């Protein structure tokens, strides 16, 4: 954004895909920059933590919650830099792995910051979305196998203070979470463009 403004750009639209969604929301909230005119969430998640609540099995969620508590205990005891590992993205098994093994390996403090619940992490747009006032669009495939429909609805609902907010569904069975070149990318581009033309003045 700083680079764009240095080049004379006055109106900035932030778009976030998947984990990019909570990231652009956090940036918009913290920066409170009047040059940011709208936020667009494409196949986004609310946060890794909340996305997992909707997608993972009860067993995996229980294992993950236990792992988070282990990470919290390390941080509380001054060992936040100790390395931990959890195979968060695999939907089967207990998820535990040895440091250096397959999975997400990072310090306990970093793991909480990335994957933790609303009180652990800023990567959770429900913490501050209600304070963002610019127009918001949530463009989402009904067939997203990672970020399920209730996640898209939750993102939309969280922006209760937005000037306008729209939930735009893409109902193409072959379009899932990933904006692959071709049909998926084109359909998202079409819906984003239509929304921008309608909701964000060019000047």
């Amino acid at each position: 954004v700083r680079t764009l403004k240095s080049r004379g750009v006055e109106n900035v639209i932030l778009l976030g895909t998947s984990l990019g969604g909570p990231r652009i929301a956090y940036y918009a909230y913290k920066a409170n920059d009047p040059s940011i005119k709208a936020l667009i969430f494409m196949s986004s998640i609310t946060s890794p933590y909340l996305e997992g609540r909707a997608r993972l099995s009860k067993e995996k969620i229980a294992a993950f919650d236990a792992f988070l508590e282990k990470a919290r205990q390390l941080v509380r005891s001054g060992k936040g830099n100790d390395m931990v590992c959890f195979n968060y993205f695999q939907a089967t098994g207990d998820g535990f792995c040895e440091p250096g093994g397959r999975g997400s390996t990072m310090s306990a403090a970093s793991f909480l910051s990335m994957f933790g619940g609303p009180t652990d992490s800023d990567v959770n747009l429900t913490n501050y979305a209600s304070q963002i006032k610019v127009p918001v669009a949530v463009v989402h495939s009904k067939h997203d196998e990672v970020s399920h429909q209730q996640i898209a609805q939750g993102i939309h609902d969280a922006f209760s203070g937005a000037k306008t907010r729209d939930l735009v569904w893409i109902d193409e069975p072959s379009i899932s979470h990933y904006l692959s070149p071709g049909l998926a990318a084109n359909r998202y581009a079409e819906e984003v463009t239509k929304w921008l033309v309608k909701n964000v003045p060019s000047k």
Side-chain angles (χ1 to χ4, degrees):
V1 171
R2 185 165 52 245
T3 299
L4 289 170
K5 291 170 70 175
S6 73
R7 296 175 180 175
V9 176
E10 296 179 357
N11 298 327
V12 177
I13 313 298
L14 298 181
L15 295 90
T17 301
S18 194
L19 184 57
R23 285 173 168 164
I24 65 166
Y26 183 63
Y27 176 81
Y29 163 67
K30 292 292 285 186
N32 194 27
D33 188 330
S35 68
I36 298 172
K37 302 302 184 185
L39 303 179
I40 300 176
F41 299 85
M42 304 180 298
S43 64
S44 180
I45 62 173
T46 40
S47 70
Y49 177 85
L50 292 175
E51 179 273 318
R53 305 286 111 172
R55 180 176 58 87
L56 301 177
S57 68
K58 291 181 179 179
E59 292 76 17
K60 187 65 179 283
I61 290 172
F64 182 61
D65 286 345
F67 188 84
L68 285 178
E69 187 52 36
K70 173 187 173 183
R72 292 184 191 108
Q73 290 173 3
L74 286 171
V75 171
R76 286 194 294 265
S77 64
K79 299 179 180 179
N81 289 329
D82 283 11
M83 299 302 289
V84 298
C85 182
F86 189 87
N87 196 349
Y88 176 83
F89 295 102
Q90 183 176 331
T92 58
D94 64 10
F96 291 96
C97 54
E98 294 298 321
R102 184 181 179 190
S104 299
T105 302
M106 57 188 77
S107 73
S110 294
F111 195 93
L112 284 175
S113 177
M114 177 72 170
F115 294 104
T119 59
D120 302 311
S121 172
D122 287 323
V123 189
N124 190 324
L125 60 80
T126 59
N127 287 357
Y128 38 79
S130 63
Q131 300 177 60
I132 292 175
K133 307 303 181 185
V134 298
V136 168
V138 180
V139 185
H140 210 89
S141 171
K142 288 187 174 182
H143 307 277
D144 192 319
E145 81 286 13
V146 174
S147 184
H148 294 181
Q149 291 186 31
Q150 61 263 47
I151 296 296
Q153 187 67 57
I155 295 171
H156 171 270
D157 295 348
F159 286 92
S160 56
K163 181 179 179 181
T164 61
R165 56 177 174 164
D166 294 289
L167 179 51
V168 181
W169 292 111
I170 294 177
D171 192 3
E172 304 271 356
S174 62
I175 297 178
S176 61
H177 184 66
Y178 303 98
L179 278 63
S180 305
L183 178 63
N186 290 341
R187 285 290 292 115
Y188 269 91
E190 289 169 4
E191 297 299 338
V192 166
T193 301
K194 286 193 293 185
W195 185 85
L196 281 172
V197 169
K198 179 180 178 182
N199 292 280
V200 184
S202 59
K203 292 183 179 181

